[in-house]
């Protein structure tokens, strides 16, 4: 990366701040592009130039203003998010200009941050933006949610909703690598084709073209469902619920069908079915597994090397299009990881 | 029991059969009293005279005709259920006339069954009907649901719905014995008084006199909820859900608020809150723990001896009142175990 090592620190840099709390589906105007001077580095800090930005479904929760597992972004505050950046200046011993890192540096063109909070990447091992996808938070979410909560055994049936997304596509492929029957749910025909033809899913269906989800799951999962990795929630989950086998395991990773509701949606009360199935339903958050990230990355890298995991990315060009990319993600426009190339 | 050992086998005996599948709340006319000749004993069989009958919420599921974890009772079939009976005749080596046993012999005045399916009781250890309560299925349900699924630690807050019932009252007292803060929900003021004054609950409330369950739980559980043992479901569970602490554990043991619905009730979709709390929600069925029943009974007997578990029973007199007792149970008329003294 010798060419980029010559980047010099600009006096001002752009960033997106939260302009308004979205009501319902977010709009571009909920974010505002600002330009601000870059502070001088303090000891231990680094200056990053953002190369890639990650947009993810969890960000919808961060801008809602509701207390959740993490503090909300305040109005006027810089939008949070993962990124891959190049070190431009460093007062941190472990990093040099030209190094490429993954960091939770937010929607900023340039970011000043503690060097110890950045993870140095080896660009010779994999394209650096995979640190935001299969070899980053989404891959680790897939790994720990599936391995730790669903704990599938060879021969079992695993269903994944949001199956063509950054997390879902990895979940399904890990489950295939473990010898499971894998059924995916996604929202576009070309996603279904990708899942079945390239990712090795045994079956998948386009939920926008199916009205009776329960009947579709019955058709595609004749032996019932042992594991359900849910990114979506709502009527898809309702349809799957009666198919849960005895002692089935459900990982609630996301509920994207609900994120833009202006009021709580009503659905059938079906907790009683858990008594019939004695199923376990567990919410998961990847940060709980931080002490085991090395284990997860090693396993994911191994499956990548063996060709057992395919990955795709949907790239939006230009830092200033970050809010647009985020809205496209919420609409399901991506196959695989949604990224912004800054 | 020398007096009863003189019982002689009658030629005919009464039993209740299912006359109709209830729609909504069951009626007495859904059951029919019949009299039928008693067959001769085959080798290995015993003849029991029923002393005590158990009526339990799970029976509502058995008469619904819907396939569940167990086969439904057929129309015209003898109603199932646990009972305590005295052996009148025996062609089974392990049991003699005069022995008292617990058996799944159904709503029958007399029952012919395999001797090996009966559990011999020691009347000197505890009143024999406790084999249908604290030292039987309800006690074991409380024990394994709490210990295995909720796994409470000293100092944690445990909430129990249906708290004054045969299962709930034991759950709360075990949790107290383990050093937890225990909050109960029940439906009569005298049940609340019993829970707090005699069973040692830290707090309890009458859900029929509270409109905002969430606010009530917030008041009674200032540190949130670590374990929730649910026998009821519906709006009580909705109100508790936002209180679940990080890594909380929920045991879905019953959903009695839903059993008599004629159509699936709608409620707020709140699985997404499990991501915030990373809570685990698991359905339980006591029969899954059969290999560990000895462990459970030993622990329960120990707490009984130490005076750490109080138990109550609500007794309806007369075999012919068994359907009435069942309907009273579904209306919550019992404190502690609901029994029929035959």
């Amino acid at each position: 990366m010798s060419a980029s090592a010559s980047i010099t620190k600009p006096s001002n840099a752009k960033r997106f701040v939260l302009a308004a709390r979205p009501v319902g589906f977010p709009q571009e105007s909920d974010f505002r592009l600002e330009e601000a001077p870059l502070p001088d580095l303090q000891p231990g800090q680094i200056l990053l130039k953002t190369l890639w930005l990650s947009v993810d479904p969890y960000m919808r929760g961060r801008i809602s203003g509701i207390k959740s597992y993490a503090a909300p972004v305040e109005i006027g505050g810089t939008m949070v998010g993962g990124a891959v950046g190049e070190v431009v200046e460093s007062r941190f011993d472990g990093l040099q200009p030209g190094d490429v890192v993954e960091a939770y540096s937010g929607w900023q063109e340039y970011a000043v941050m503690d060097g110890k909070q950045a993870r140095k990447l080896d660009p010779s091992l994999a394209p650096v933006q995979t640190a935001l996808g299969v070899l980053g938070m989404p891959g680790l979410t897939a790994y720990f949610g599936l391995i730790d909560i669903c704990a599938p055994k060879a021969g079992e049936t695993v269903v994944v909703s949001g199956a063509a997304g950054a997390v879902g596509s990895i979940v399904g492929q890990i489950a295939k690598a473990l010898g499971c029957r894998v059924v995916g749910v996604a929202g576009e025909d070309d996603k279904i084709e990708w899942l079945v033809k390239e990712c090795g899913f045994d079956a998948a269906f386009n939920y926008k073209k199916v009205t009776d989800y329960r009947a579709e799951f019955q058709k595609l999962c004749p032996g019932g469902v042992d594991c359900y990795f849910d990114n979506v929630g709502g009527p898809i989950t309702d349809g799957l619920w009666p198919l849960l086998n005895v002692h089935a395991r459900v990982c609630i990773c996301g509920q994207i069908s609900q994120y833009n509701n202006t009021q709580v949606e009503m659905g059938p009360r079906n907790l009683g079915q858990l008594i019939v199935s004695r199923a376990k339903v567990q919410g998961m958050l990847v940060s709980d597994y931080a002490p085991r990230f090395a284990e997860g990355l090693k396993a994911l890298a191994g499956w990548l090397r063996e060709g057992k995991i395919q990955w795709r990315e949907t790239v939006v060009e230009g830092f200033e299009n970050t809010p647009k990319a985020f809205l496209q993600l919420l609409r399901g426009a991506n196959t695989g990881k949604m990224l912004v190339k800054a």
Side-chain angles (χ1 to χ4, degrees), chain A residues 4 18 35 133 191 208 241 253 297:
Chain A
S4 354
L18 186 63
E35 206 165 319
K191 294 181 183 181
K208 293 178 183 168
W241 224 240
C253 176
L297 290 173

Side-chain angles (χ1 to χ4, degrees), chain A residues 51-299:
Chain A
L51 303 176
W52 297 89
L53 283 146
S54 180
V55 288
D56 300 277
Y58 76 82
M59 293 171 171
R60 182 62 185 85
R62 289 292 199 291
I63 58 179
S64 71
I66 295 167
K67 182 184 166 288
S68 176
Y69 52 83
V73 177
E74 298 300 333
I75 299 289
T78 302
M79 183 62 193
V80 296
V84 163
E86 181 176 331
V87 178
V88 175
E89 287 183 15
S90 177
R91 294 188 66 186
F92 175 69
D93 280 348
L95 291 169
Q96 304 301 323
D99 285 347
V100 179
V101 300
E102 184 247 324
Y104 199 68
S105 50
W107 292 10
Q108 305 191 82
E109 228 185 345
Y110 286 83
V112 171
M113 62 180 296
D114 282 347
K116 66 183 173 206
Q117 299 201 356
R119 171 169 70 109
K120 187 174 171 181
L121 304 175
D122 181 347
S124 71
L125 287 183
V128 290
Q129 73 274 25
T130 57
L132 301 172
V134 58
L135 295 177
M137 183 274 285
L140 291 166
T141 301
Y143 177 82
F144 289 107
L146 185 69
I147 298 292
D148 209 65
I149 294 181
C150 293
K153 293 184 274 290
E156 288 191 328
T157 295
V158 176
V159 173
V160 193
S161 63
V167 173
S169 58
I170 307 301
V171 168
Q173 294 179 85
I174 297 175
K176 282 308 300 177
L178 297 175
C180 298
R181 173 173 174 81
V182 176
V183 175
V185 186
E188 301 290 342
D189 287 346
D190 59 354
K191 294 181 183 181
I192 302 301
E193 191 178 326
W194 177 58
L195 292 173
V196 174
K197 294 203 177 154
E198 293 185 49
C199 296
F201 280 47
D202 296 282
F205 72 88
N206 180 345
Y207 73 88
K208 293 178 183 168
K209 292 190 168 175
V210 167
T211 49
D212 187 341
Y213 299 143
R214 181 174 176 172
E216 190 73 12
F217 283 124
Q218 279 171 325
K219 194 173 74 183
L220 300 181
C221 308
V225 175
D226 303 294
C227 302
Y228 176 40
F229 193 106
D230 185 21
N231 295 302
V232 175
I236 293 170
T237 296
D238 298 341
L240 180 129
W241 224 240
L243 278 280
L244 291 174
N245 283 336
V246 169
H247 298 140
R249 289 82 64 195
V250 176
C251 174
I252 306 289
C253 176
Q255 294 281 283
I256 199 168
S257 71
Q258 308 297 306
Y259 292 168
N260 295 305
N261 291 340
T262 50
Q263 53 185 33
V264 176
E265 192 175 286
M266 301 295 272
R269 293 193 186 281
N270 54 19
L271 285 179
Q273 291 178 18
L274 298 184
I275 306 174
V276 179
S277 59
R278 287 91 89 195
K280 177 186 80 168
V281 181
Q282 195 166 348
M284 85 87 64
L285 197 61
V286 67
S287 52
D288 286 343
Y289 295 91
R292 291 173 58 194
F293 279 178
E295 166 201 332
L297 290 173
K298 189 178 167 190

